[in-house]
């Protein structure tokens, strides 16, 4: 679904870059005329993302900074407000790293609000939620409540959840800004 909204030359954001897989995907999609802004709270994630982008020859269209996703509004350039085609979130912790350093409900909800402000008309936010770690169930509940309360005239929301799986199964929320509302 994200592929459908990103065009060469677009502005995109990887709000929780982790090991850089999504940043690499985004940078390849926007090409050298576009730009991806990637952030993560952990230095190891920032370094891994920079290395991945450099190795793939995509560093020129990328900015990678160490920052919490809750600081999205102050880290991403103000000129990007209303112009971003996609913002991606993978919640939880950096695989193989300290599980105590993780996304949390309050900062995630703040980041989602800031991400929606960045979107252009028909732009998309993708949120992968991992409820199976310590604090993950609370964050999952907060995200579910947040997306459920969005104004359907401004945003379309799709949730992909396993109805038969345990409550620890990851799930996906896609939020798309309406074409008719700024």
């Amino acid at each position: 679904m994200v592929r459908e909204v990103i065009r060469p030359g677009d502005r995109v954001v990887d709000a929780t870059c982790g090991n850089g897989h999504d940043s690499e995907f985004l940078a390849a999609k926007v090409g050298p005329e576009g730009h991806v802004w990637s952030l993560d709270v952990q230095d190891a994630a920032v370094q891994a993302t920079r290395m991945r982008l450099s190795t793939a020859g995509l560093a020129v269209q990328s900015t990678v900074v160490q920052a919490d996703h809750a600081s999205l509004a102050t880290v991403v350039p103000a000129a990007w407000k209303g112009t971003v085609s996609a913002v991606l979130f993978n919640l939880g912790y950096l695989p193989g790293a300290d599980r105590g350093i993780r996304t949390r409900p309050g900062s995630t909800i703040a980041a989602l609000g800031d991400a929606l402000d960045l979107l252009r008309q028909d732009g998309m936010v993708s949120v992968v939620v991992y409820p199976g770690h310590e604090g993950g169930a609370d964050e999952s509940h907060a995200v579910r409540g947040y997306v459920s309360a969005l104004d359907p005239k401004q945003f379309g929301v799709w949730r992909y959840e396993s109805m038969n799986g345990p409550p620890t199964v990851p799930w996906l929320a896609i939020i798309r800004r309406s074409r008719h509302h700024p």
Side-chain angles (χ1 to χ4, degrees):
M1 291 180 79
V2 172
R3 276 183 237 263
E4 295 173 13
V5 301
I6 302 173
R7 298 181 296 267
D10 277 358
R11 294 171 170 174
V12 294
V13 176
D14 185 354
T16 53
C17 64
N19 286 310
H21 297 281
D22 287 344
S23 292
E24 181 180 15
F25 162 77
L26 292 169
K29 288 296 291 176
V30 301
E33 300 301 315
H35 202 84
V36 58
W37 200 277
S38 303
L39 53 149
D40 201 287
V41 71
Q42 293 191 68
D43 182 60
V46 169
Q47 297 310 317
T49 299
R50 284 184 179 144
M51 180 62 75
R52 179 175 295 280
L53 292 167
S54 179
T55 300
L58 300 168
V60 68
Q61 64 254 41
S62 306
T63 300
V64 184
V65 296
Q66 186 172 353
D68 190 287
H69 64 312
S71 63
L72 209 55
T74 58
V75 173
V76 174
W80 280 34
K81 187 173 181 177
T83 68
V84 172
S85 60
V87 181
L88 277 58
F89 291 85
N90 277 291
L91 303 179
Y93 57 88
L94 179 64
D98 181 354
R99 289 183 177 210
I101 302 172
R102 61 182 188 272
T103 57
R104 300 185 187 275
S107 59
T108 294
I109 299 308
L112 288 173
D114 291 341
L116 295 179
D117 288 343
L118 290 172
L119 290 183
R120 68 173 193 224
Q121 288 184 352
D122 206 30
M124 177 183 293
V125 172
S126 169
V127 187
V128 180
V129 182
Y130 296 91
H133 62 85
E134 184 179 341
D138 291 338
E139 187 171 47
S140 178
H141 180 74
V143 171
R144 191 177 288 112
Y146 182 83
V147 299
S148 294
L150 289 171
D151 181 353
K153 293 178 184 171
Q154 293 184 36
F155 300 100
V157 176
W158 296 268
R159 287 193 344 221
Y160 301 94
E161 298 184 62
S162 171
M163 300 307 286
N164 299 320
T168 57
V169 171
W171 60 277
L172 171 68
I174 299 287
I175 306 165
R176 194 144 185 198
R177 180 176 289 284
S178 169
R179 290 184 177 114
H180 309 293
H181 287 81

